[in-house]
Amino acid sequence: MKITSNKKQVAIIMGSASDYPIMRDAEKILRLLKINFDTKIVSAHRTPYRMFEFAKNAHKRYKVIIAGAGGSAHLAGMVSSLSRLPVIGVPIETKSLKGLDSLLSVIQMPKGIVTATVAINNANNAGLLAAQILALFDKKVEKKFTEFRNKQTKSVKIKPKK
Ligand code: RP5
C-alpha cells in the first residue's frame, strides 16, 4: 500500500512579501534539484504567533528551513530557537543599511542556538546548502546535486572571451 504524505523537504519562509523577489532564487534552485518545498510569509515581529506555530510544528513536515528577512531580521534566529531543524538564514538587503543590519541580525547568534547564514540576498546558496544537507541521506538529491556541481565546473572557461 502506498502511503501518501503531504510532507515537503524544505520550508522557505520570509518576513514579508517584499522579500519574495530574492527568496524566489531558493525556489528556483530547489526546483532544479527536484526538491519539494513550501513557501510562506512568517514574520517574527508582525505575526509572532504564526511564527511560533510554524516553528513548533515544522519538524513534522520538513527537514530543513530557509528563512529570509531584512532589517532587524530575527526570523531565522527565533525559528532556530523553537525548532530542532537546521535553519539557513538569508539576510535581505535593506535601503538604509544595504543589508548589513540584516546580516548581523541573522549571523550573530548566541552560543547554543545555531543559524547557518548565507551572504546578503544569496537565497540561491541557501537552497544549495539545504540540498547538501538533504543529500546526506537522500540518494536522489545527492545525484542531482553532484550533476549540478559537475555542470557548473564544466561551464567555467579557462580563458575569458576577448
Ligand atoms: C522585514 O522587514 C522583512 O523581512 C522585510 O525584509 C523588511 C521590510 O518589510 P516590508 O516593510 O517591506 O513588509 O520584517
Side-chain angles (χ1 to χ4, degrees), residues 46-63:
R46 292 171 180 157
T47 66
Y49 299 106
R50 190 190 300 177
M51 180 202 66
F52 184 86
E53 281 305 309
F54 167 82
K56 288 304 289 174
N57 295 302
H59 64 280
K60 296 176 196 163
R61 284 180 62 89
Y62 310 108
K63 294 193 168 72

Side-chain angles (χ1 to χ4, degrees), residues 10 18 22 27 29 31 58 92 95 101 122 131 141 152 159:
V10 178
S18 66
I22 296 301
E27 293 186 332
I29 193 75
R31 263 192 214 108
I92 303 289
K95 276 194 197 125
D101 43 355
N122 206 330
V141 177
Q152 179 172 253
K159 289 191 177 184

Side-chain angles (χ1 to χ4, degrees), residues 70-72 92-102 120-121:
S72 182
I92 303 289
E93 190 175 338
T94 52
K95 276 194 197 125
S96 43
L97 295 170
K98 308 279 179 226
L100 186 59
D101 43 355
S102 322
I120 295 167
N121 280 356

